[in-house]
Amino acid sequence: MALRVTFVAAAGSSTVLSERFEDSRPLDQAGWSEVQRVAHELLPLAAADLRYCSPAPRSRATGEGLGYAPLVQLALRDCDMGRWRGLTLGEAMAREPEAVDAWLADPRSTPHGGECLLDFIGRVGGWLDTRPAEDGCRVVAVAEPSVIRAALVYALKAPPATYWNIDVRSLSTISVAGRPGRWSLRLESVPAQPLRA
């Protein structure tokens, strides 16, 4: 058996276009309601051998709200977006269209003065590769959508541009299984639901 890492997207997350860079807002009432609505479905993940979360307030609150008692991992923090911190992609585009175009086109670009996409993917991938590699070990990590996208790009050894094609929804889960440097995407089966007449 391989190590399995299940990522849970923080509550209150949104689509890629309306996500805020390095969002430091706390979980609001709508987010808490989301957590309460799905807690029974996600509670079994609390049985994981290791439970982590990113340092973002929404990720920490989501992990606590789901009963995970997660350990904060700095390597799971959002990409350092420099002067674009707190903006949506649309807001950054309105202020600095050429800089955003350069950033979207080149994964080594840092027009915002922060971290480049390649370094961000590498940081999150480095965290993934340093999880205990004991056979059958189960890990759960609550993180922002951007962190989960970076982990998936790394795990699948996909081109960096793939990052922009992954949409991570609030409280969604995705697992990767394997060992350092050898990860596979793992889609879990859903129990069959009886048809309603």
Side-chain angles (χ1 to χ4, degrees), residues 13-21 87-90 103-104 145-146 149 162-170:
S13 303
S14 53
T15 63
V16 174
L17 293 177
S18 58
E19 234 177 74
R20 293 198 174 276
F21 298 128
L87 300 178
T88 65
L89 180 60
W103 178 65
L104 293 172
S146 60
R149 288 196 310 269
T162 306
Y163 177 88
W164 306 114
N165 300 108
I166 302 171
D167 188 10
V168 178
R169 301 291 177 152
S170 174

Side-chain angles (χ1 to χ4, degrees), residues 21-22 79-85 92 96 99-100 103 109-117:
F21 298 128
E22 290 188 88
C79 186
D80 177 358
M81 296 304 292
R83 68 179 173 276
W84 295 348
R85 181 177 292 122
E96 301 180 53
V100 171
W103 178 65
S109 177
T110 58
H112 45 62
E115 185 177 27
C116 74
L117 183 62

Side-chain angles (χ1 to χ4, degrees), residues 101-140:
D101 286 343
W103 178 65
L104 293 172
D106 181 1
R108 293 177 178 83
S109 177
T110 58
H112 45 62
E115 185 177 27
C116 74
L117 183 62
L118 276 181
D119 288 346
F120 175 49
I121 292 168
R123 170 169 49 85
V124 174
W127 176 86
L128 187 62
D129 280 347
T130 57
R131 295 311 87 209
E134 297 174 24
D135 279 348
C137 184
R138 294 174 303 144
V139 176
V140 65

Side-chain angles (χ1 to χ4, degrees), residues 59-81:
S59 293
R60 291 192 325 259
T62 299
E64 291 294 336
L66 292 172
Y68 298 169
L71 178 65
V72 172
Q73 298 285 280
L74 291 179
L76 293 179
R77 69 190 180 281
D78 208 344
C79 186
D80 177 358
M81 296 304 292

